[in-house]
Amino acid sequence: MGSAYLINLAFNGVILGLIVALAALSITLVFGIARFPNAATGDVATVGAFAGLAVTATGGGTAAILGFGVLTAAGLSLLFYLILFRGLADKPPVASLIASIGLAFFVRAVLTFFVGHNQQVYPLPIVRAVPFGPLRVQPTDLQVIAVAVLALAAVFALLHLTAIGRRMRAVADNPDLARASGIAATRVLVVMWLCAGALAGVSGTLLGIKTVVSPEMGWDLLMPAFAATILGTIGNPVGAVLGGLLIGLAQELSTPIVGFTYKIGVGFLVLLLMLLVRPQGLFAGNALVR
Amino acid sequence: MSTAELAVTGVQKRFGGVTVLDGVEFSCPADGLSGMIGPNGAGKSTLFAIITGFQAGDEGRIRFAGRDVTGLSAVERVHLGLGRTFQVPREFGSLSVRENLMAAAPGQSGENLLAAFLHPGRVRAEEAAIRERADAWLAFLNLAQVADTPAGRLSGGQRKLLELGRVLMLEPKMILLDEPFAGVNPVLIGEIAGRIRELSARGIGFLIVEHNLAALAALVNHMFVIDRGRLLAEGAPAAVLADPAVREAYMGGAA
């Protein structure tokens, strides 16, 4: 008890924080480049998680869950851009926001129709937790951390080390100037939506591995992810990741005080205080993508 | 007339009930050094936006380098070699100065994720070539020492030079400059004008909108005067500036 309990909570907070960070980075990429808060992010994550569940029926393990979940989410994200958000690009951002909320409800309704409301788990082998001093570590926890960190690193490498990443940052920074620089927005948007969908897919499948798979999981993930996005200054990728970690830690570490049921509210308390004190977020002024 | 020119015919633009451009017609050589003047509200900025595809005209055609570009997007016109800068200098503030130039380089296979995976060697060689080209232009524009600085931290004058550098990465045939001397100190005006002359000698054409008439007249070979959405006069700078109709437009004609 005591410090050991807190250390275990903090460890859990980091894991959940990374999962929230993945979704938050997805939201912040879409906001930075397509310029609206995408409320369908969580439900794309859910579809990714269920796609992962589908491959377990054919005997797939963790790698298959992740691979298929991420590909499905990325494809779905691109599809939504092509059939919905591309047509709304010239309208005010609120049109895309409302459309994304409708899309979120639609995806969840369709999913629920086919799979029902029940919570399900990936049939992965149960492995004994390994103690590291006071910390009890599940081997799957280490996998989750490794995959999340790799996925986040891959996105930052894409943004900062590749030509398309440079162009994504350019479009996020100043769309008109990007046009005058001969940068075709469509190509940038296709890559961005694939990227945002893949991030949501990683987030959803990892959440499924860590907890359970249910049609509501993505919507429940969306709220802390939005909080993390705003906390880290909306449009700022580094801020989204740090915001996710903060929200994850705050939620887990508050469990002894507020109990399991209300820990989800702590993220919003943090967000509320943030909006009152520093509405531009923690990392305004050195945004990588504005 | 040669085909290597920018030709504007019968361009009209109305915003609500206000006619901003009322049948503008002119043509200038795509490798020449031309200026465009006119009182505030004459429609120069709108004309620039229509020529470069940032706005659509209500009527009229734009031809560039032997092609009718009227229906093309801004990005397509850029790729045909028609570059532009903005009146208030713009930059990708969060990107480094070098990245600002590199982002504008055309034909990057590193843009194609599949190519990046399939031919990493070729993509890397291209990146190196683009970087080299960016550094060459930065040296030309005297910006080499700020190559790694975020563009948002540059001074006003450096921003004007950066805009020129970004456009030069596009390998333009012709550049439309929107008030390159506005808010720039006289020393830097001399430097910017010097760079423009040198680029012109290398065969790049310019059409320059500018309110600093003395600096513009000293730079260009040919001048167009726009007033109330029409071409009022054109010719050698000295002759145009001496034209009574032009003086009238500037002194008394501004509606």
Side-chain angles (χ1 to χ4, degrees), chain B residues 151-207:
Chain B
R153 291 211 209 121
L154 294 187
S155 71
Q158 286 174 321
R159 276 170 209 210
K160 298 255 179 190
L161 290 166
L162 173 62
E163 271 227 281
L164 202 50
R166 189 180 46 71
V167 176
L168 287 168
M169 286 300 285
L170 297 161
E171 295 166 7
K173 295 187 179 77
M174 183 173 193
I175 305 175
L176 275 62
L177 299 177
D178 201 349
E179 300 196 25
F181 303 146
V184 176
N185 68 58
V187 176
L188 196 59
I189 286 180
E191 189 175 331
I192 294 175
R195 301 290 104 166
I196 293 172
R197 265 195 210 96
E198 197 167 333
L199 292 166
S200 170
R202 295 188 196 183
I204 297 176
F206 284 91
L207 177 61

Side-chain angles (χ1 to χ4, degrees), chain B residues 108-182:
Chain B
Q108 311 180 14
S109 13
E111 245 189 287
N112 185 331
L113 279 183
L114 208 58
F117 282 114
L118 296 179
H119 315 283
R122 197 178 75 199
V123 169
R124 214 171 300 132
E126 263 181 23
E127 274 282 291
I130 288 169
R131 188 188 164 102
E132 208 168 293
R133 222 150 57 74
D135 282 346
W137 283 126
L138 288 177
F140 173 78
L141 294 168
N142 223 346
L143 289 172
Q145 71 283 3
V146 289
D148 295 311
T149 309
R153 291 211 209 121
L154 294 187
S155 71
Q158 286 174 321
R159 276 170 209 210
K160 298 255 179 190
L161 290 166
L162 173 62
E163 271 227 281
L164 202 50
R166 189 180 46 71
V167 176
L168 287 168
M169 286 300 285
L170 297 161
E171 295 166 7
K173 295 187 179 77
M174 183 173 193
I175 305 175
L176 275 62
L177 299 177
D178 201 349
E179 300 196 25
F181 303 146

